[in-house]
Amino acid sequence: MQIANRKIGKGHKPYIIAEMSGNHNGDINRAIELIEAAKDAGADAVKLQTYTADTITINHDSEEFIIHGGLWDGSKLYDLYEQAHTPWEWHKTLFDEAAKLGITIFSSPFDPTAVDFLESLNAPAYKIASFELIDLPLIRKVAATGKPMIMSTGNANLAEIEEAVLAAKGAGAEDIILLHCTSGYPTPASQANISTMAVMREAFDCDVGLSDHTLDIGVSVAAVALGACVIEKHFTLARADGGPDSAFSLEKEELKSLVDNCEMAFEAIGKPNFISTEAELKTKCHRRSLYVVKDIQKGDTFTSEHVRSIRPGNGIPPKYLDDVIGSVATEDLKFGTPMRFEYFK
């Protein structure tokens, strides 16, 4: 899979998506600053969310349209989305700014009109948000563009994920990555369950990654070690500035740490190896071996007082200690002499 000339998948370093969401706080200049910060931190892409309050919900006051619990407790859905949405008239400016900076930008569409709008901007890829994974008509609409698709799976069971994948493939999608996700804001690390990625990889024969809503970077780094090829994380300029998603978003230096540590985890995976590496060869001489630890004369019998297993490793291996003890010295040996096979019989 490839997005804007960046290859993604096995054998390639993890693709880091910096999710802006509503952390622009209604200010286009702040949105541009966020793109600049993501670029400076080394992220591969910035992701927007393309919706309006009217395309994602309706303005209704009944209890079912009120959020209960969590960060947005008591908020009406319409009001929250009105606050958090990225105005559509900003999108071209943000796409242009990202192009100038040399960072990829794409978005999550939340209805068919958003897909058409993003196509007019030549979006290079699409992200299906967790709550939209069960919107199969939307998935088919996105898949028909032929662009790479990244789909989050928060709150979905295995059957629902399968339906989404089949819908995407049936509508023409060829490049699909599934992101394991726990749709808790924030998510406790104990509920991240990143081992789920391996099951999805096996079940759907596709690359996998993580959309991470925990409060730090450790879960993402661990996910890379388990094979995640994409990491998505919300970010902001400063949590103290507030905003709908600020409480579980990374600041710039934390985002940079995420990028660096995920890349380090990827490099550390390597391949199964039981041969000394270049770094190990420099220390191999310090392994244990057999040394003469008390002077002995030719013809005398070696006892445990004459020879021991110690560091460094210039003598014969310690596994021959029982062969040496009770044998006869073939020549005079001084304290500190590394043992050789020819020194005993």
Side-chain angles (χ1 to χ4, degrees):
M1 180 164 160
Q2 187 167 303
I3 298 178
N5 298 319
R6 169 70 154 80
K7 292 183 179 180
I8 307 169
K10 187 176 181 180
H12 302 283
K13 69 179 183 178
Y15 190 78
I16 308 299
I17 300 171
E19 166 68 83
M20 182 186 298
S21 186
N23 285 326
H24 50 67
N25 293 355
D27 182 348
I28 190 172
N29 293 315
R30 181 182 173 91
I32 292 171
E33 284 187 70
L34 282 163
I35 295 172
E36 293 170 344
K39 172 64 177 179
D40 289 345
D44 295 289
V46 171
K47 194 185 76 63
L48 309 178
Q49 295 182 357
T50 304
Y51 65 85
T52 68
D54 289 301
T55 64
I56 201 169
T57 190
I58 57 174
N59 191 3
H60 201 284
D61 294 329
S62 66
E63 190 67 18
E64 61 197 290
F65 288 88
I66 305 298
I67 299 172
H68 298 285
L71 290 177
W72 308 300
D73 184 44
S75 298
K76 187 166 77 171
L77 283 177
Y78 190 92
D79 294 341
L80 176 65
Y81 296 134
E82 182 68 26
Q83 173 196 0
H85 84 286
T86 301
W88 291 27
E89 60 268 23
W90 291 8
H91 278 56
K92 186 177 187 308
T93 298
L94 300 183
F95 270 61
D96 290 344
E97 288 295 325
K100 289 178 189 175
L101 291 168
I103 187 171
T104 299
I105 189 169
F106 59 96
S107 187
S108 292
F110 288 79
D111 82 309
T113 66
V115 180
D116 292 336
F117 174 61
L118 290 167
E119 278 295 283
S120 75
L121 297 174
N122 197 27
Y126 288 94
K127 164 74 189 303
I128 300 296
S130 287
F131 289 18
E132 277 57 49
L133 191 74
I134 56 174
D135 190 341
L136 301 186
L138 176 62
I139 287 174
R140 294 188 187 101
K141 174 81 172 178
V142 171
T145 68
K147 305 285 181 65
M149 294 179 67
I150 299 172
M151 300 198 292
S152 275
T153 62
N155 272 317
N157 60 40
L158 202 59
E160 290 169 335
I161 299 170
E162 181 179 30
E163 287 180 337
V165 170
L166 291 176
K169 289 182 175 179
E174 295 182 355
D175 295 324
I176 300 172
I177 290 178
L178 295 175
L179 301 188
H180 172 59
C181 175
T182 304
S183 294
Y185 308 94
T187 294
S190 61
Q191 296 179 28
N193 295 319
I194 56 177
S195 59
T196 307
M197 294 188 304
V199 177
M200 295 198 304
R201 185 190 298 114
E202 178 71 20
F204 304 111
D205 190 28
C206 66
D207 285 318
V208 296
L210 178 69
S211 179
D212 182 12
H213 299 126
T214 63
L215 294 177
D216 210 323
I217 69 171
V219 171
S220 287
V221 175
V224 171
L226 291 179
C229 65
V230 172
I231 296 294
E232 180 185 62
K233 193 82 169 170
H234 287 244
F235 82 115
T236 186
L237 296 178
R239 282 185 291 274
D241 294 343
D245 297 337
S246 61
F248 58 92
S249 297
L250 299 180
E251 297 180 353
K252 179 179 176 180
E253 288 306 311
E254 294 168 324
L255 180 60
K256 184 179 187 308
S257 181
L258 173 76
V259 171
D260 293 344
N261 281 276
C262 284
E263 186 168 343
M264 187 186 306
F266 167 73
E267 291 174 350
I269 294 170
K271 57 186 178 182
N273 176 63
F274 297 99
I275 299 172
S276 294
T277 65
E278 184 178 348
E280 283 182 313
L281 288 173
K282 298 175 182 178
T283 64
K284 197 168 185 177
C285 62
H286 300 304
R287 297 202 300 177
R288 299 181 80 92
S289 67
L290 299 183
Y291 266 77
V292 175
V293 294
K294 180 179 180 182
D295 291 353
I296 189 169
Q297 303 297 312
K298 179 179 178 179
D300 289 347
T301 299
F302 282 104
T303 70
S304 57
E305 292 184 353
H306 295 104
V307 62
R308 282 173 47 205
S309 168
I310 63 169
R311 296 184 183 186
N314 297 317
I316 62 176
K319 65 183 180 180
Y320 294 106
L321 180 60
D322 288 344
D323 297 323
V324 175
I325 302 300
S327 68
V328 176
T330 58
E331 56 186 272
D332 295 344
L333 298 172
K334 295 290 188 182
F335 170 78
T337 301
M339 281 296 298
R340 300 283 183 264
F341 289 113
E342 59 267 28
Y343 292 165
F344 66 96
K345 65 178 182 181

